[in-house]
Amino acid sequence: MRRQKIFHKYHLLSFVISVQAYLYSTYINSTAAKLGFSFTQIGLVNLILSIAYAIASVTLGHVGTRYGYKRTISFLALYLFIVSLFGLLENSSTGLVVFAVLQGVFFGAFFPQVEGLIAKSESLLRIDPPSITGRFTLSWSTGNIIGVAFGPFLTVRAPGVIFVVGLIISGMTNLLVSLDYQKFGDTITFTPSRKLLEHSQNASVVTNKNAMRKLRLEYRIILFLGGLIYTSVLASFPKLMMLAGLKLENAGFLTVGANIGVLLTFVILQSWKGWVGNEYFCGILLSVVPMTGLIAFFAKNPLTFFLTALFAGFSYAVPYTFAIFYGLLSEEEEHGKQGALHEMVIGLLFGVGPLVGGILFDKFGGNLGLLVYAFSISVVIYLIQLLFNFSRKQKNQATK
């Protein structure tokens, strides 16, 4: 009898690739800070990167649905090997921008494949829907903690290590996923724990596809808005900390508060699933967005910088959890398409957030700029939630 499991090897793959994704993103932002880029220039680099990410998501993200998820992942791993080799050899401002675009294409195309593969395979195994999305988000969020924490440190001390790790990971991914495809085909083979097969306490919401589609749209919009704060913090904190007199090589150990916030949110929302369809509770959770701005205004030392990053992570992870849940589970036969659209939103916010944040930071100063940013976004988020809720109530009354 096979041993029952909670996680499987594709959660491990998501974890490992996430480590590399954030090693590369922190390398890009830390190197830009070292080269003397302004906040706005750092934002522009991130915008270019995010456009590449978003385009790759919508054009290549659903390729796995037609040609096979595992075959697509193997091909993308070869591409990442070439990109990592380029990054190892480049050493100029122009080369940094080119590298940012190339690696953005990989991650924009990769994550929809693994999202789609996991959603498809685990749905066939009848795993509880919140457990499908929750375990996936836990796998990559633990990986990005490592990438963010050590990226700036390695950028200063030993940047070549970042790319050597990329070469190793991409080579091993190609080999192991190809072998797995030959042996098991385009599905994930594992014996899930009985805990994962428990029926969702929110089954009425999950089975109501019309409600799921509307909630999907609502929280993709709110994810984009809440994520602007998170991505702005990740991109701008290395330079902001340098201006505050902190060492660049230690910036990651404070910025990682954002990723710890993401992980904590995922753990909590995975443990208690009462948030599914509970708009009132979701509104309370979204208050972390204005709280991020308040804390940022007083950020002058390592502790307050860490707390600002922590709440920025909350601001991203709360709507992310809702968006990916409603996105991947609202269309049973379109896992690849929904994963691609979800990653397109992620890609765009990783560009727009740093750019708009950079402009505000240059205009008002980092701390006040982040306060203005967070409060403005909060107003829009709550207006959107009120509009969607009002629309649902109007429709419900009309059908009675």
Side-chain angles (χ1 to χ4, degrees), residues 290-333:
M291 290 174 66
T292 303
L294 280 174
I295 298 170
F297 184 70
F298 299 100
K300 304 292 182 182
N301 54 52
L303 177 60
T304 48
F305 271 119
F306 179 85
L307 289 174
T308 299
L310 181 72
F311 273 79
F314 294 154
S315 299
Y316 172 67
V318 168
Y320 181 98
T321 303
F322 307 150
I324 194 171
F325 175 84
Y326 296 126
L328 289 181
L329 299 176
S330 57
E331 303 290 346
E332 293 181 357
E333 303 301 326

Side-chain angles (χ1 to χ4, degrees), residues 8 24 50 68-69 118 148 155 212 216 267 277 280 303 348 367 370 375:
H8 49 68
Y24 280 162
S50 75
Y69 293 114
I118 290 174
V148 169
T155 298
M212 291 279 279
R216 177 184 72 198
V267 170
Y280 179 75
L303 177 60
L348 289 175
N367 299 73
L370 192 49
F375 271 50

Side-chain angles (χ1 to χ4, degrees), residues 11 30 56 86 102 115 124 132 215 219 233 241 252 268 298 320:
H11 289 125
S30 297
F86 173 83
L102 294 176
E115 288 171 22
L124 293 174
I132 295 175
L215 288 166
Y219 283 104
V233 164
M241 290 177 191
I268 293 170
F298 299 100
Y320 181 98

Side-chain angles (χ1 to χ4, degrees), residues 38-40 355-370 372:
S38 68
F39 285 117
T40 303
L355 178 60
V356 177
I359 293 171
L360 290 173
F361 294 174
D362 281 332
K363 183 176 180 60
F364 295 104
N367 299 73
L368 179 58
L370 192 49
V372 172

Side-chain angles (χ1 to χ4, degrees), residues 20-333:
Q20 194 61 43
Y22 280 82
L23 283 175
Y24 280 162
S25 66
T26 52
Y27 166 81
I28 292 166
N29 292 319
S30 297
T31 301
K34 279 201 309 179
L35 294 173
F37 285 29
S38 68
F39 285 117
T40 303
Q41 289 172 326
I42 293 173
L44 283 171
V45 172
N46 281 271
L47 177 63
I48 294 169
L49 185 164
S50 75
I51 291 173
Y53 187 107
I55 292 174
S57 295
V58 295
T59 58
L60 302 175
H62 57 83
V63 168
T65 305
R66 177 176 296 182
Y67 298 105
Y69 293 114
K70 292 180 183 178
R71 292 173 65 185
T72 306
I73 289 171
S74 297
F75 174 80
L76 288 171
L78 285 177
Y79 170 77
L80 180 61
F81 187 91
I82 297 171
V83 172
S84 299
L85 189 60
F86 173 83
L88 184 64
L89 299 176
E90 68 83 19
N91 59 2
S92 66
S93 298
T94 302
L96 181 68
V97 176
V98 173
F99 171 74
V101 171
L102 294 176
Q103 62 93 41
V105 169
F106 168 78
F107 293 108
F110 170 81
F111 279 109
Q113 313 307 326
V114 72
E115 288 171 22
L117 176 62
I118 290 174
K120 169 189 171 184
S121 300
E122 295 192 352
S123 294
L124 293 174
L125 293 171
R126 300 190 180 281
I127 292 175
D128 185 35
S131 295
I132 295 175
T133 54
R135 285 155 47 253
F136 170 69
T137 51
L138 285 174
S139 67
W140 68 254
S141 63
T142 50
N144 66 43
I145 287 176
I146 296 174
V148 169
F150 291 98
F153 179 82
L154 290 174
T155 298
V156 174
R157 297 292 186 91
V161 171
I162 294 175
F163 300 101
V164 171
V165 171
L167 291 169
I168 294 172
I169 287 176
S170 57
M172 293 297 294
T173 297
N174 173 263
L175 175 63
L176 296 178
V177 174
S178 296
L179 291 174
D180 187 58
Y181 174 73
Q182 293 174 13
K183 188 174 182 180
F184 298 109
D186 203 41
T187 56
I188 299 170
T189 303
F190 87 113
T191 304
S193 168
R194 291 181 181 178
K195 294 180 180 179
L196 303 179
L197 303 178
E198 294 176 354
H199 190 61
S200 174
Q201 60 180 305
N202 305 98
S204 61
V205 177
V206 174
T207 55
N208 187 338
K209 298 303 179 184
N210 186 51
M212 291 279 279
R213 282 192 290 269
K214 291 182 178 179
L215 288 166
R216 177 184 72 198
L217 176 60
E218 175 184 349
Y219 283 104
R220 275 190 180 151
I221 296 171
I222 294 176
L223 164 62
F224 180 82
L225 293 168
L228 296 177
I229 300 297
Y230 170 76
T231 56
S232 182
V233 164
L234 289 180
S236 299
F237 255 36
K239 182 176 180 65
L240 194 61
M241 290 177 191
M242 283 179 62
L243 295 177
L246 302 176
K247 292 184 178 179
L248 177 61
E249 63 190 71
N250 295 326
F253 301 120
L254 300 179
T255 307
V256 76
N259 304 89
I260 293 173
V262 170
L263 178 61
L264 288 174
T265 303
F266 289 159
V267 170
I268 293 170
L269 296 184
Q270 172 66 9
S271 300
W272 181 74
K273 303 182 181 71
W275 52 267
V276 178
N278 190 333
E279 288 289 83
Y280 179 75
F281 184 73
C282 292
I284 294 174
L285 288 177
L286 290 169
S287 66
V288 294
V289 179
M291 290 174 66
T292 303
L294 280 174
I295 298 170
F297 184 70
F298 299 100
K300 304 292 182 182
N301 54 52
L303 177 60
T304 48
F305 271 119
F306 179 85
L307 289 174
T308 299
L310 181 72
F311 273 79
F314 294 154
S315 299
Y316 172 67
V318 168
Y320 181 98
T321 303
F322 307 150
I324 194 171
F325 175 84
Y326 296 126
L328 289 181
L329 299 176
S330 57
E331 303 290 346
E332 293 181 357
E333 303 301 326

